[in-house]
Amino acid sequence: MFNAPIIPLMQKRVDPAKFGRVMGLFGALTTLAYPIGLFIAGPAAEALGLNRWFVVIGMALCILMLAFSLCRPLRALDGAASDERFR
């Protein structure tokens, strides 16, 4: 859900000579998020029960995606390329 719009945006905005480094850093930070997510999700699923946890986290993701889609600065990122060569 989150990587699909981010990667094309990075392809559009990052200098091609540095794109490999940026993707490496992005991959490392994304991988770092997995244990942090499990640290939160494990105890939450134990406390709420797995079915209730899935409902809660699904609703939270829907609310976040709706909020992100209504956020004008985020929507404007795609059209506001800072580099003239991509226009």
Side-chain angles (χ1 to χ4, degrees):
M1 250 186 329
F2 295 104
N3 287 351
I6 290 174
I7 292 176
L9 186 63
M10 286 194 306
Q11 288 174 334
K12 186 176 183 180
R13 293 181 156 252
V14 174
D15 180 25
K18 296 180 182 175
F19 187 71
R21 289 181 236 164
V22 169
M23 285 303 295
L25 181 61
F26 179 74
L29 292 175
T30 303
T31 304
L32 179 65
Y34 295 141
I36 295 169
L38 289 174
F39 181 74
I40 295 168
E46 286 287 326
L48 295 174
L50 192 57
N51 289 337
R52 199 172 301 151
W53 171 246
F54 277 133
V55 170
V56 167
I57 201 66
M59 289 171 54
L61 283 172
C62 288
I63 291 168
L64 280 172
M65 293 307 293
L66 179 64
F68 290 157
S69 68
L70 296 175
C71 183
R72 285 185 188 202
L74 287 177
R75 286 193 335 238
L77 281 175
D78 188 38
S82 60
D83 196 351
E84 289 296 323
R85 66 184 165 181
F86 293 111
R87 290 186 181 192

